[in-house]
């Protein structure tokens, strides 16, 4: 199954958004694809402007960096044992 616009939109830097509109309210969840078929949901918000707010993208990028840093550390520790 493939899902694209209008439900999925690429945001760049490995990030995508899932788009949902409910009762004239726009909701977005920013995510990225991680190792194969795992999707990591980073940040959700209600969208009130035409363009995705830079503040929301910055928050998602921060969460992405944090996730990758923590995951890399745990992988490195497992390999040392």
């Amino acid at each position: 199954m493939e899902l694209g616009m209008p439900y999925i939109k690429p945001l760049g830097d490995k990030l995508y958004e899932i788009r949902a509109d409910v009762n004239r309210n726009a909701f977005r969840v920013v995510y990225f694809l991680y190792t194969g078929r795992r999707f990591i949901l980073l940040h959700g918000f209600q969208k009130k402007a035409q363009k995705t707010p830079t503040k929301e993208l910055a928050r998602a990028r921060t969460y992405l960096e944090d996730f990758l840093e923590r995951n890399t550390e745990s992988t490195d520790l497992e390999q040392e044992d």
Side-chain angles (χ1 to χ4, degrees):
M1 178 174 124
E2 282 189 34
L3 193 60
M5 286 292 282
Y7 304 107
I8 303 293
K9 179 183 174 188
L11 300 174
D13 298 328
K14 301 180 186 180
L15 297 176
Y16 295 85
E17 71 178 4
I18 299 171
R19 310 167 91 192
D21 295 314
V22 180
N23 297 328
R24 294 184 163 179
N25 294 304
F27 297 94
R28 304 294 187 253
V29 176
V30 180
Y31 72 95
F32 75 103
L33 179 62
Y34 182 71
T35 63
R37 294 184 168 190
R38 291 176 24 191
F39 294 90
I40 306 299
L41 306 180
L42 298 169
H43 178 55
F45 59 96
Q46 183 175 1
K47 189 171 175 184
K48 297 180 181 180
Q50 185 70 18
K51 187 175 178 185
T52 302
T54 55
K55 158 181 110 168
E56 304 296 353
L57 285 175
R59 183 172 290 164
R61 286 187 182 105
T62 299
Y63 294 158
L64 170 63
E65 291 169 8
D66 179 62
F67 175 86
L68 293 175
E69 182 179 306
R70 285 183 292 116
N71 188 55
T72 301
E73 288 176 3
S74 66
T75 303
D76 291 343
L77 291 175
E78 290 172 6
Q79 290 175 358
E80 289 177 7
D81 291 340

